[in-house]
Amino acid sequence: MLFAVPLLLAVGCGAPAATHTATNSQGAPVKAIAARAVHSTGNAASTTGSASDDAPAPTGTIVMVKLYVGTLDAAERFYGNVFGARFAVAQGDNVHIVVFPSGGPGLVLIKKGPYDRKKHGAFIIQVPDKDVAEARAVANGARIQAEFEGPDGSRSVDVLDPWGNQVEILQRG
């Protein structure tokens, strides 16, 4: 069962690159990478094996994001307590899917196996109040990596969930 829902990522789309001021949890400056739109001109060499540079680019929709976790119950509690995610469906004993109340792609929570130690996922989630979500994340076992401020007044923080997956918590300006 798939939950296909649109993902709204308008940051940087069609706009020039933005400069971000970033600091880590100790207030020290960290390198921030600015987002900018990518435009295809049809002049670059194709990596798809297409016979024609004039063919339209394929399109896609993010349906789900995979995250490798320790235990499924603990991961469901973490993402439920911090972002309101709710269990949707089990795909066997080692995979659960959770969805968010406001939509967006679901999270595929995969119990780490012996060969998955180094596997991690990452995603960005928009919230109404970064500070509240950040505090809830830390209270539920997340570790802060760095905080960012955009020129448009947006604020975000990168945290690692208890299993090492990177979550950027974004509040638009």
Side-chain angles (χ1 to χ4, degrees):
M1 179 175 191
L2 295 177
F3 296 92
V5 290
L7 173 64
L8 176 61
L9 283 178
V11 176
C13 293
T19 304
H20 295 281
T21 303
T23 58
N24 66 15
S25 58
Q26 287 79 34
V30 296
K31 183 176 181 180
I33 299 173
R36 68 180 151 170
V38 176
H39 300 282
S40 174
T41 62
N43 297 330
S46 173
T47 59
T48 63
S50 171
S52 169
D53 286 342
D54 296 329
T59 61
T61 301
I62 295 174
V63 179
M64 302 212 190
V65 175
K66 291 183 354 181
L67 300 178
Y68 290 86
V69 299
T71 64
L72 298 173
D73 289 342
E76 287 174 25
R77 276 192 307 277
F78 177 84
Y79 285 102
N81 289 341
V82 178
F83 303 115
R86 296 287 177 247
F87 173 81
V89 65
Q91 298 288 315
D93 293 336
N94 295 321
V95 178
H96 285 184
I97 297 172
V98 298
V99 294
F100 295 97
S102 297
L107 296 180
V108 179
L109 303 174
I110 303 169
K111 183 178 180 195
K112 282 188 179 184
Y115 300 104
D116 297 329
R117 260 192 354 227
K118 295 182 180 181
K119 291 184 179 177
H120 299 289
F123 66 96
I124 300 170
I125 186 165
Q126 182 177 331
V127 298
D129 189 323
K130 177 200 85 73
D131 297 329
V132 169
E134 178 182 348
R136 291 179 76 93
V138 170
N140 282 277
R143 292 170 294 163
I144 295 174
Q145 286 190 299
E147 296 197 31
F148 307 90
E149 290 188 17
D152 63 350
S154 63
R155 301 180 314 126
S156 66
V157 59
D158 282 349
V159 301
L160 293 178
D161 75 7
W163 307 277
N165 297 296
Q166 186 182 59
V167 179
E168 181 177 340
I169 301 169
L170 169 69
Q171 178 182 333
R172 299 257 182 182

